[in-house]
Every structure is written in structure tokens, then in C-alpha cells.
Amino acid sequence: MSQSAEDGTRVVRIGAEQRRREEALTQRVLDAFAGAESPRLRQLMTALVRHLHAFAREVRLTEAEWDAAIRFLTDTGHITTGKRQEFVLLSDVLGLSMQTITINNEARGDATEATVFGPFFVEDAPLIGNGDDMSFGAKGTPLWVEGRIRDTDGNPVGGARIDAWECDADGRYDVQYPDDRTACRARLFSDDGGNYRFWALMPVPYPIPGDGPVGRLLQAAGRSPMRAAHLHLMVSAPGHRALVTHVFDANDDYVARDSVFGVKESLVRTFEDFPPGTPAPDGRTLDRDWSKVRFDIVLAPPDDPPDPDAAVEIAAEPPA
Amino acid sequence: MSQSAEDGTRVVRIGAEQRRREEALTQRVLDAFAGAESPRLRQLMTALVRHLHAFAREVRLTEAEWDAAIRFLTDTGHITTGKRQEFVLLSDVLGLSMQTITINNEARGDATEATVFGPFFVEDAPLIGNGDDMSFGAKGTPLWVEGRIRDTDGNPVGGARIDAWECDADGRYDVQYPDDRTACRARLFSDDGGNYRFWALMPVPYPIPGDGPVGRLLQAAGRSPMRAAHLHLMVSAPGHRALVTHVFDANDDYVARDSVFGVKESLVRTFEDFPPGTPAPDGRTLDRDWSKVRFDIVLAPPDDPPDPDAAVEIAAEPPA
């Protein structure tokens, strides 16, 4: 039974028999998954069922809304191809991708925080040396990127593999170009002191694909599809946890409302701008504006790989 | 940080900084949906985000599991066509369809409980009179179905429209036949005393489609794909809440483990079996086995249609 409150809210009163029916149904579904052979599958499915049913009961999901959800998922499936992953986009805008990354990159000392991997990484990027240019002629303002890689004990990490990639000044990655050009991506290694440096381009904000169901959801929710300007970095070295992260530009308005929640305060840096003629850190003199960012990176110790069939138990808080 | 308990359970210890990061992320996503214009969309999305994030955090969802979930949804989308709805099937086997129906068909006095609609209803079923046969020559044991329709105050409901449909003895609905035959479905009306009666066929258990992602999920979970044997009934009459329900056979093993959780104890009846030569309720003598079931139906008073933009608030328990 329902009544309307004065502010237009629908007030629902749930009787004892109705509550009993809803709870009994959830329990029957939980019981049905109790026979799964893998303890982990059992845990995943029962937790999913508990939350899904709690969601539907709490919001009093209508049949029209259920229909709309089925249509939304169907549209999301039908727009998804080998080249476009709308389910990943959905997970991104719900913050689930970022939450999964946060869960799997646990805080360890002052280790650099991880963020989303994104769909634009390419395995065989060109190898460059320190100080080289990864823009490969793409359009944009030159950006000098430098930093030092160390572990959580303060020891420099030499020979760390760094993959860097980003969009050009038009907000496009090379894989989105109509031709096969490689641009704005490279692999390099830190030197013996753990230092790295290369030329890139100033990153710019760009929208995630807005012409599908996820774009329509963002629009209905009054949310921007823009990703905050960022440079992707993936850093790996033997004996350390691999890091997938971004560095963000403090002067970009979108750092406060990145559409996929990839921004962590600890990853935001001030990019310094220089006029033409100012000598660059590598001694060159550019006849145009250029910028510079320093991004020091701290690698965490490695994690034990989890047993895929083991259920998880969260330990009680240690006594304070 | 994680360690392994003796029973193989992975024990996870979540530090204060890690907890802060996870909670802060969820809050940022909730804040992003706070600008939705429709109060209802805001409520749906924030509740969904809360439960989705709580699920991922509670089970410590791994990146491999997230990948598997994306692949599962992608496969589900790609197998879904105008003729096959794998997302509905997924909702069914998670009990979400049944929970949505339960929520939207609130307990009212002794009103007959609702159950799933299913994919096999057809709008223009043949009109038959009381006592006529809806099997139209399909294979199976004749079943006499009779009952009385009344409201929750005990008044008979004459002129109620009854749609009935079911599978044949092979577990197939007519829409699954290779030709255009209509069978095992009809529309009729209750008489002035609220009574109805017709010939149908003994329903049999049948599997839901098992060759897609949902079938693979059931298999991994050790669950049966079988639906308990049932006859579909949809009953509507002006001034009453429309009812979509099934009647189930008490002698069918699957009533205890219907794959879509459609069985409610209150919908299970004993089907009586008779040998050839026993006079049927309509005076006919059949030269073969036949069965009989009585299913009285109680219609609830109508609900107010909910305002699609109004958020819902659950009223506090009334004082006991």
C-alpha cells in the first residue's frame, strides 16, 4: 500500500506478510546457490543476490523500471563489439571499475595510487630512450615529463619498464586515427638512479563515447561525459607490484568531475607552462610554448596472487 | 594484505587508509548522481551504486572476476535477439524477476499470489466458452481445470477475463512449433457466479534455454535448468488488480527447485488422476487417462499507479 507525501515522495508501508514473502524469496535464491562446487562462486553469487534483492526491495522497483533495465542492458549488449565495450563504459561511469582497481591495489605505505587502465593501451609501443619524444609528430603543446621511481623503503628502482600513452590535442588516441600511425605512446626504462624523462604532449580532456545507452544515462543524470586531462603510465619492475596510473593536470576543470572517477588527489600535479625561447630541461630551445610536469612514482611490494577458488573473509579490525 | 586461513578461505585485513579510499570513492560516485533531475532516477542510481560498490568491497572482487563479469554480460547481450531474451533469463535465475513481481503485487488479504509472466504469452489467443478445450489437439493427458473467481471480500467476480496457456506433453509451447499452429492457449470469461472451467493438458516440467551464458552459470552453480510443471493464468476484471499467476502440480519434483523461483506454496494443487471410462465433470466419458485440478482465484483491489518520477520512502513500522 502506498500514499503520497507532501513533497511528492511516494510513501510505502510494507506489512508483515509482504515482508515475509520478500525475505522468503531471497532466502530461496540464496539456498539455490549454496550447492555451487567452488566456494568462491558460491560467495560471489550469494553476495550478488543479497545486494540485488536488497536494492529492488529498498527502491520498490516497479515492473516498468525492470523493463527499462532489461532494455538498457540489451542495448548495451547490442552496441558492444570487439572495438567498443559499452559494458566496460557502464562499469566505469558507475565507479565500479575504479572501485575494483582500488580494492586490488591496496594502500601500502606511500605507494603511488592506481587508476583505470582504459581501452587505449597497445602492447607493442615503440621503445624510446630517456629524453626522447613519444609524440611522434602528433598535434599538441610539447610537455616535458620527468620523475624518479623508488620503492616504499626509499630505494631507487632502476630498469623499471614505463609504458606511457595519451591523446593528442584533439583528444584522440592514435588507435582512433583513420590510418595506422603510431603516436603519443612509447615504452622506456628508468636509469640506474630510478630517473626517467621524455617529451610528450599536454593532455586534454575528451568525452567518453556518448552515442550509446551509457551516454544517455549520463545525460539523464545531468553528468558530463568528459574525462579529466591525463597521461597514462604503467610501471613494472621485478619484485614490485605493477602500477597502472595517470598523472592529472591541476588546472583542468574536469579533475573535480572525471566521468569515470579516475582522479585521485595524490595523482594531480601542477603542469608548469613556459614561453617560446625558454631553454628546456634537455638543453634544447623551443620556438613555441611548452610545459613541464614532475611525477615521482613509488612502487608497492608485490602481492600474493589470490587463489581463484578461495572464498574471502574480512578480518575483524585489529584492536585500536 | 591477505593471508590464508586453514580451511583455504582467504582472510583479508583492510587498513584504515584503504577503507578511507574505498569509502571516499563510493561517495564521489553518489555525489555525481545527486544532480539527476528526476528524484526517482537519483534514488535508483544512488541505491544501485551503493549496493554495487558494497558488493565489490565485501567480496574483494578481483580484476579477473571483473573481466569475467564483463565477458558474461557481453555474451548475454550478443545471444539476445528479438526472439531470445537472455537478460530476462538472467534476471529470472537470480530471482530478481520474481522479487520484482512480489514487490509489485503486495499481499492483500487472501488474494491469490502472483508469479512470473514468462516469454510465451500471445495476445490474440482463441476465445473459448466455459467447458471448451484449449489444447487444440496438442499432445498430452487431458486436464479438467475449474475454479471460482472472487474478490477479497468474498464476492464472486463474473465476467472476469481469463487467459490460460501452457506447454504440451513434450514441454513445448505452440510458439516453439516449427509451424504456425495455435495450441494450449485460450481466452475465456467467468460466468455470473464467478465460475470457470475448461479442458487443458497436464503440464510437464521443461528446461529454460541452457546453451547460453545463463545455462553455463546454472551448471557452474550446480543448479537445475528445469521449470516446475505449471499452467499459466492471467485474470483481469474491472475494479480489481490484474493477476498473472501459475497453478503448480504438487506431485512434480521440481516444485521445490523451480529454476526461476516462480513457485509459491499457495499456488500448488493436487492434480487428481482418473482412469479411462470415469465420467468427466462435463458428463463426457473419455477412453483414456485424464486429470482434474481445482484452482479458486481471489482478486485483490486495484492499486494506484505509482508516479514514475516520485522517489519512494519506506514508512516506519506501525507501532505493534
Side-chain angles (χ1 to χ4, degrees), chain A residues 69-94:
Chain A
I70 295 290
R71 277 199 309 277
F72 181 90
L73 290 169
T74 302
D75 291 349
T76 301
H78 287 172
I79 208 171
T80 294
T81 62
K83 295 217 154 199
R84 174 168 183 168
Q85 234 311 349
E86 194 86 354
F87 284 112
V88 170
L89 215 55
L90 178 59
S91 168
D92 290 350
V93 304
L94 295 176

PDB file of all heavy atoms in Angstrom, chain A residues 69-94:
ATOM      1  N   ALA A  69      15.330  -1.506 -17.451  1.00  0.00           N
ATOM      2  CA  ALA A  69      16.667  -2.042 -17.161  1.00  0.00           C
ATOM      3  C   ALA A  69      17.022  -3.156 -18.144  1.00  0.00           C
ATOM      4  O   ALA A  69      18.151  -3.221 -18.641  1.00  0.00           O
ATOM      5  CB  ALA A  69      16.730  -2.554 -15.721  1.00  0.00           C
ATOM      6  N   ILE A  70      16.055  -4.012 -18.452  1.00  0.00           N
ATOM      7  CA  ILE A  70      16.293  -5.092 -19.427  1.00  0.00           C
ATOM      8  C   ILE A  70      16.598  -4.490 -20.801  1.00  0.00           C
ATOM      9  O   ILE A  70      17.537  -4.915 -21.487  1.00  0.00           O
ATOM     10  CB  ILE A  70      15.063  -6.045 -19.507  1.00  0.00           C
ATOM     11  CG1 ILE A  70      14.856  -6.790 -18.175  1.00  0.00           C
ATOM     12  CG2 ILE A  70      15.184  -7.008 -20.695  1.00  0.00           C
ATOM     13  CD1 ILE A  70      15.904  -7.828 -17.836  1.00  0.00           C
ATOM     14  N   ARG A  71      15.840  -3.478 -21.180  1.00  0.00           N
ATOM     15  CA  ARG A  71      16.084  -2.820 -22.481  1.00  0.00           C
ATOM     16  C   ARG A  71      17.456  -2.154 -22.494  1.00  0.00           C
ATOM     17  O   ARG A  71      18.194  -2.230 -23.476  1.00  0.00           O
ATOM     18  CB  ARG A  71      15.010  -1.760 -22.770  1.00  0.00           C
ATOM     19  CG  ARG A  71      13.727  -2.319 -23.360  1.00  0.00           C
ATOM     20  CD  ARG A  71      12.902  -1.226 -24.054  1.00  0.00           C
ATOM     21  NE  ARG A  71      12.698  -0.060 -23.198  1.00  0.00           N
ATOM     22  CZ  ARG A  71      11.746   0.036 -22.270  1.00  0.00           C
ATOM     23  NH1 ARG A  71      10.885  -0.952 -22.094  1.00  0.00           N
ATOM     24  NH2 ARG A  71      11.634   1.127 -21.539  1.00  0.00           N
ATOM     25  N   PHE A  72      17.806  -1.504 -21.381  1.00  0.00           N
ATOM     26  CA  PHE A  72      19.114  -0.828 -21.270  1.00  0.00           C
ATOM     27  C   PHE A  72      20.249  -1.831 -21.450  1.00  0.00           C
ATOM     28  O   PHE A  72      21.191  -1.604 -22.217  1.00  0.00           O
ATOM     29  CB  PHE A  72      19.222  -0.126 -19.909  1.00  0.00           C
ATOM     30  CG  PHE A  72      20.517   0.605 -19.714  1.00  0.00           C
ATOM     31  CD1 PHE A  72      20.639   1.935 -20.094  1.00  0.00           C
ATOM     32  CD2 PHE A  72      21.625  -0.032 -19.172  1.00  0.00           C
ATOM     33  CE1 PHE A  72      21.837   2.621 -19.939  1.00  0.00           C
ATOM     34  CE2 PHE A  72      22.834   0.642 -19.009  1.00  0.00           C
ATOM     35  CZ  PHE A  72      22.938   1.967 -19.400  1.00  0.00           C
ATOM     36  N   LEU A  73      20.173  -2.958 -20.749  1.00  0.00           N
ATOM     37  CA  LEU A  73      21.227  -3.973 -20.853  1.00  0.00           C
ATOM     38  C   LEU A  73      21.275  -4.569 -22.259  1.00  0.00           C
ATOM     39  O   LEU A  73      22.348  -4.844 -22.800  1.00  0.00           O
ATOM     40  CB  LEU A  73      21.012  -5.070 -19.808  1.00  0.00           C
ATOM     41  CG  LEU A  73      21.263  -4.645 -18.358  1.00  0.00           C
ATOM     42  CD1 LEU A  73      20.774  -5.713 -17.385  1.00  0.00           C
ATOM     43  CD2 LEU A  73      22.754  -4.357 -18.128  1.00  0.00           C
ATOM     44  N   THR A  74      20.097  -4.769 -22.858  1.00  0.00           N
ATOM     45  CA  THR A  74      20.036  -5.314 -24.216  1.00  0.00           C
ATOM     46  C   THR A  74      20.706  -4.353 -25.199  1.00  0.00           C
ATOM     47  O   THR A  74      21.546  -4.759 -26.014  1.00  0.00           O
ATOM     48  CB  THR A  74      18.570  -5.573 -24.615  1.00  0.00           C
ATOM     49  OG1 THR A  74      17.997  -6.469 -23.659  1.00  0.00           O
ATOM     50  CG2 THR A  74      18.459  -6.180 -26.010  1.00  0.00           C
ATOM     51  N   ASP A  75      20.380  -3.072 -25.103  1.00  0.00           N
ATOM     52  CA  ASP A  75      21.004  -2.059 -25.972  1.00  0.00           C
ATOM     53  C   ASP A  75      22.517  -2.018 -25.746  1.00  0.00           C
ATOM     54  O   ASP A  75      23.297  -1.867 -26.690  1.00  0.00           O
ATOM     55  CB  ASP A  75      20.430  -0.665 -25.682  1.00  0.00           C
ATOM     56  CG  ASP A  75      18.977  -0.537 -26.123  1.00  0.00           C
ATOM     57  OD1 ASP A  75      18.489  -1.438 -26.834  1.00  0.00           O
ATOM     58  OD2 ASP A  75      18.332   0.454 -25.750  1.00  0.00           O
ATOM     59  N   THR A  76      22.921  -2.120 -24.481  1.00  0.00           N
ATOM     60  CA  THR A  76      24.347  -2.098 -24.143  1.00  0.00           C
ATOM     61  C   THR A  76      25.050  -3.296 -24.779  1.00  0.00           C
ATOM     62  O   THR A  76      26.146  -3.167 -25.332  1.00  0.00           O
ATOM     63  CB  THR A  76      24.515  -2.092 -22.611  1.00  0.00           C
ATOM     64  OG1 THR A  76      23.842  -0.945 -22.096  1.00  0.00           O
ATOM     65  CG2 THR A  76      25.976  -2.026 -22.198  1.00  0.00           C
ATOM     66  N   GLY A  77      24.402  -4.451 -24.744  1.00  0.00           N
ATOM     67  CA  GLY A  77      24.963  -5.638 -25.379  1.00  0.00           C
ATOM     68  C   GLY A  77      25.049  -5.497 -26.886  1.00  0.00           C
ATOM     69  O   GLY A  77      26.035  -5.910 -27.506  1.00  0.00           O
ATOM     70  N   HIS A  78      24.032  -4.900 -27.473  1.00  0.00           N
ATOM     71  CA  HIS A  78      23.988  -4.849 -28.933  1.00  0.00           C
ATOM     72  C   HIS A  78      24.944  -3.819 -29.522  1.00  0.00           C
ATOM     73  O   HIS A  78      25.398  -3.966 -30.646  1.00  0.00           O
ATOM     74  CB  HIS A  78      22.549  -4.628 -29.417  1.00  0.00           C
ATOM     75  CG  HIS A  78      21.704  -5.863 -29.243  1.00  0.00           C
ATOM     76  ND1 HIS A  78      20.354  -5.893 -29.437  1.00  0.00           N
ATOM     77  CD2 HIS A  78      22.051  -7.128 -28.878  1.00  0.00           C
ATOM     78  CE1 HIS A  78      19.894  -7.123 -29.198  1.00  0.00           C
ATOM     79  NE2 HIS A  78      20.912  -7.879 -28.852  1.00  0.00           N
ATOM     80  N   ILE A  79      25.291  -2.772 -28.756  1.00  0.00           N
ATOM     81  CA  ILE A  79      26.247  -1.774 -29.268  1.00  0.00           C
ATOM     82  C   ILE A  79      27.690  -2.229 -29.020  1.00  0.00           C
ATOM     83  O   ILE A  79      28.634  -1.683 -29.594  1.00  0.00           O
ATOM     84  CB  ILE A  79      25.978  -0.378 -28.654  1.00  0.00           C
ATOM     85  CG1 ILE A  79      26.430   0.733 -29.618  1.00  0.00           C
ATOM     86  CG2 ILE A  79      26.646  -0.232 -27.298  1.00  0.00           C
ATOM     87  CD1 ILE A  79      26.012   2.132 -29.185  1.00  0.00           C
ATOM     88  N   THR A  80      27.857  -3.249 -28.168  1.00  0.00           N
ATOM     89  CA  THR A  80      29.199  -3.729 -27.830  1.00  0.00           C
ATOM     90  C   THR A  80      29.742  -4.633 -28.936  1.00  0.00           C
ATOM     91  O   THR A  80      29.056  -5.547 -29.388  1.00  0.00           O
ATOM     92  CB  THR A  80      29.179  -4.485 -26.487  1.00  0.00           C
ATOM     93  OG1 THR A  80      28.868  -3.546 -25.454  1.00  0.00           O
ATOM     94  CG2 THR A  80      30.524  -5.128 -26.174  1.00  0.00           C
ATOM     95  N   THR A  81      30.971  -4.319 -29.375  1.00  0.00           N
ATOM     96  CA  THR A  81      31.634  -5.109 -30.415  1.00  0.00           C
ATOM     97  C   THR A  81      33.063  -5.357 -29.940  1.00  0.00           C
ATOM     98  O   THR A  81      33.430  -4.969 -28.834  1.00  0.00           O
ATOM     99  CB  THR A  81      31.691  -4.317 -31.735  1.00  0.00           C
ATOM    100  OG1 THR A  81      32.478  -3.139 -31.507  1.00  0.00           O
ATOM    101  CG2 THR A  81      30.310  -3.914 -32.219  1.00  0.00           C
ATOM    102  N   GLY A  82      33.866  -5.978 -30.795  1.00  0.00           N
ATOM    103  CA  GLY A  82      35.277  -6.146 -30.469  1.00  0.00           C
ATOM    104  C   GLY A  82      35.992  -4.807 -30.312  1.00  0.00           C
ATOM    105  O   GLY A  82      37.013  -4.706 -29.651  1.00  0.00           O
ATOM    106  N   LYS A  83      35.430  -3.757 -30.905  1.00  0.00           N
ATOM    107  CA  LYS A  83      36.068  -2.436 -30.864  1.00  0.00           C
ATOM    108  C   LYS A  83      35.437  -1.488 -29.845  1.00  0.00           C
ATOM    109  O   LYS A  83      36.023  -0.473 -29.490  1.00  0.00           O
ATOM    110  CB  LYS A  83      35.952  -1.763 -32.251  1.00  0.00           C
ATOM    111  CG  LYS A  83      36.713  -2.510 -33.331  1.00  0.00           C
ATOM    112  CD  LYS A  83      37.334  -1.543 -34.310  1.00  0.00           C
ATOM    113  CE  LYS A  83      38.552  -2.140 -34.965  1.00  0.00           C
ATOM    114  NZ  LYS A  83      39.430  -1.151 -35.570  1.00  0.00           N
ATOM    115  N   ARG A  84      34.219  -1.760 -29.436  1.00  0.00           N
ATOM    116  CA  ARG A  84      33.546  -0.861 -28.493  1.00  0.00           C
ATOM    117  C   ARG A  84      32.958  -1.659 -27.352  1.00  0.00           C
ATOM    118  O   ARG A  84      32.131  -2.538 -27.562  1.00  0.00           O
ATOM    119  CB  ARG A  84      32.433  -0.106 -29.204  1.00  0.00           C
ATOM    120  CG  ARG A  84      31.609   0.728 -28.232  1.00  0.00           C
ATOM    121  CD  ARG A  84      30.714   1.689 -28.927  1.00  0.00           C
ATOM    122  NE  ARG A  84      30.013   2.508 -27.955  1.00  0.00           N
ATOM    123  CZ  ARG A  84      29.324   3.583 -28.268  1.00  0.00           C
ATOM    124  NH1 ARG A  84      29.270   3.966 -29.526  1.00  0.00           N
ATOM    125  NH2 ARG A  84      28.710   4.287 -27.339  1.00  0.00           N
ATOM    126  N   GLN A  85      33.384  -1.346 -26.120  1.00  0.00           N
ATOM    127  CA  GLN A  85      32.949  -2.122 -24.960  1.00  0.00           C
ATOM    128  C   GLN A  85      32.065  -1.253 -24.072  1.00  0.00           C
ATOM    129  O   GLN A  85      32.534  -0.584 -23.155  1.00  0.00           O
ATOM    130  CB  GLN A  85      34.162  -2.650 -24.208  1.00  0.00           C
ATOM    131  CG  GLN A  85      34.170  -4.147 -23.971  1.00  0.00           C
ATOM    132  CD  GLN A  85      32.877  -4.712 -23.399  1.00  0.00           C
ATOM    133  OE1 GLN A  85      31.980  -4.023 -22.968  1.00  0.00           O
ATOM    134  NE2 GLN A  85      32.788  -6.036 -23.395  1.00  0.00           N
ATOM    135  N   GLU A  86      30.758  -1.289 -24.355  1.00  0.00           N
ATOM    136  CA  GLU A  86      29.833  -0.430 -23.607  1.00  0.00           C
ATOM    137  C   GLU A  86      29.613  -0.925 -22.177  1.00  0.00           C
ATOM    138  O   GLU A  86      29.306  -0.134 -21.292  1.00  0.00           O
ATOM    139  CB  GLU A  86      28.502  -0.340 -24.378  1.00  0.00           C
ATOM    140  CG  GLU A  86      27.558   0.758 -23.910  1.00  0.00           C
ATOM    141  CD  GLU A  86      27.824   2.134 -24.549  1.00  0.00           C
ATOM    142  OE1 GLU A  86      28.832   2.274 -25.286  1.00  0.00           O
ATOM    143  OE2 GLU A  86      27.032   3.050 -24.292  1.00  0.00           O
ATOM    144  N   PHE A  87      29.803  -2.221 -21.918  1.00  0.00           N
ATOM    145  CA  PHE A  87      29.674  -2.710 -20.530  1.00  0.00           C
ATOM    146  C   PHE A  87      30.820  -2.187 -19.660  1.00  0.00           C
ATOM    147  O   PHE A  87      30.618  -1.868 -18.492  1.00  0.00           O
ATOM    148  CB  PHE A  87      29.613  -4.241 -20.475  1.00  0.00           C
ATOM    149  CG  PHE A  87      28.290  -4.800 -20.898  1.00  0.00           C
ATOM    150  CD1 PHE A  87      28.179  -5.524 -22.080  1.00  0.00           C
ATOM    151  CD2 PHE A  87      27.155  -4.596 -20.142  1.00  0.00           C
ATOM    152  CE1 PHE A  87      26.957  -6.031 -22.488  1.00  0.00           C
ATOM    153  CE2 PHE A  87      25.915  -5.099 -20.541  1.00  0.00           C
ATOM    154  CZ  PHE A  87      25.825  -5.823 -21.720  1.00  0.00           C
ATOM    155  N   VAL A  88      32.028  -2.107 -20.245  1.00  0.00           N
ATOM    156  CA  VAL A  88      33.148  -1.523 -19.501  1.00  0.00           C
ATOM    157  C   VAL A  88      32.846  -0.048 -19.208  1.00  0.00           C
ATOM    158  O   VAL A  88      33.048   0.440 -18.093  1.00  0.00           O
ATOM    159  CB  VAL A  88      34.469  -1.677 -20.268  1.00  0.00           C
ATOM    160  CG1 VAL A  88      35.577  -0.853 -19.609  1.00  0.00           C
ATOM    161  CG2 VAL A  88      34.881  -3.150 -20.336  1.00  0.00           C
ATOM    162  N   LEU A  89      32.299   0.632 -20.212  1.00  0.00           N
ATOM    163  CA  LEU A  89      31.928   2.041 -20.047  1.00  0.00           C
ATOM    164  C   LEU A  89      30.893   2.189 -18.926  1.00  0.00           C
ATOM    165  O   LEU A  89      30.963   3.106 -18.101  1.00  0.00           O
ATOM    166  CB  LEU A  89      31.344   2.530 -21.373  1.00  0.00           C
ATOM    167  CG  LEU A  89      31.607   3.958 -21.791  1.00  0.00           C
ATOM    168  CD1 LEU A  89      33.084   4.277 -21.820  1.00  0.00           C
ATOM    169  CD2 LEU A  89      30.972   4.235 -23.149  1.00  0.00           C
ATOM    170  N   LEU A  90      29.941   1.282 -18.897  1.00  0.00           N
ATOM    171  CA  LEU A  90      28.916   1.302 -17.841  1.00  0.00           C
ATOM    172  C   LEU A  90      29.556   1.117 -16.472  1.00  0.00           C
ATOM    173  O   LEU A  90      29.281   1.864 -15.530  1.00  0.00           O
ATOM    174  CB  LEU A  90      27.880   0.203 -18.118  1.00  0.00           C
ATOM    175  CG  LEU A  90      26.753   0.053 -17.094  1.00  0.00           C
ATOM    176  CD1 LEU A  90      25.942   1.331 -16.952  1.00  0.00           C
ATOM    177  CD2 LEU A  90      25.838  -1.123 -17.474  1.00  0.00           C
ATOM    178  N   SER A  91      30.433   0.122 -16.380  1.00  0.00           N
ATOM    179  CA  SER A  91      31.149  -0.118 -15.124  1.00  0.00           C
ATOM    180  C   SER A  91      31.956   1.125 -14.736  1.00  0.00           C
ATOM    181  O   SER A  91      32.011   1.509 -13.555  1.00  0.00           O
ATOM    182  CB  SER A  91      32.064  -1.333 -15.302  1.00  0.00           C
ATOM    183  OG  SER A  91      32.970  -1.442 -14.239  1.00  0.00           O
ATOM    184  N   ASP A  92      32.546   1.786 -15.734  1.00  0.00           N
ATOM    185  CA  ASP A  92      33.345   2.992 -15.486  1.00  0.00           C
ATOM    186  C   ASP A  92      32.498   4.115 -14.881  1.00  0.00           C
ATOM    187  O   ASP A  92      32.879   4.720 -13.886  1.00  0.00           O
ATOM    188  CB  ASP A  92      33.974   3.501 -16.792  1.00  0.00           C
ATOM    189  CG  ASP A  92      35.075   2.586 -17.326  1.00  0.00           C
ATOM    190  OD1 ASP A  92      35.495   1.662 -16.608  1.00  0.00           O
ATOM    191  OD2 ASP A  92      35.495   2.801 -18.481  1.00  0.00           O
ATOM    192  N   VAL A  93      31.343   4.400 -15.503  1.00  0.00           N
ATOM    193  CA  VAL A  93      30.563   5.564 -15.052  1.00  0.00           C
ATOM    194  C   VAL A  93      29.809   5.283 -13.749  1.00  0.00           C
ATOM    195  O   VAL A  93      29.325   6.207 -13.099  1.00  0.00           O
ATOM    196  CB  VAL A  93      29.576   6.088 -16.137  1.00  0.00           C
ATOM    197  CG1 VAL A  93      30.326   6.419 -17.426  1.00  0.00           C
ATOM    198  CG2 VAL A  93      28.426   5.131 -16.375  1.00  0.00           C
ATOM    199  N   LEU A  94      29.717   4.011 -13.373  1.00  0.00           N
ATOM    200  CA  LEU A  94      29.148   3.668 -12.059  1.00  0.00           C
ATOM    201  C   LEU A  94      30.245   3.602 -10.995  1.00  0.00           C
ATOM    202  O   LEU A  94      29.966   3.276  -9.836  1.00  0.00           O
ATOM    203  CB  LEU A  94      28.413   2.321 -12.134  1.00  0.00           C
ATOM    204  CG  LEU A  94      27.179   2.277 -13.038  1.00  0.00           C
ATOM    205  CD1 LEU A  94      26.605   0.866 -13.092  1.00  0.00           C
ATOM    206  CD2 LEU A  94      26.107   3.261 -12.578  1.00  0.00           C
TER     207      LEU A  94
END
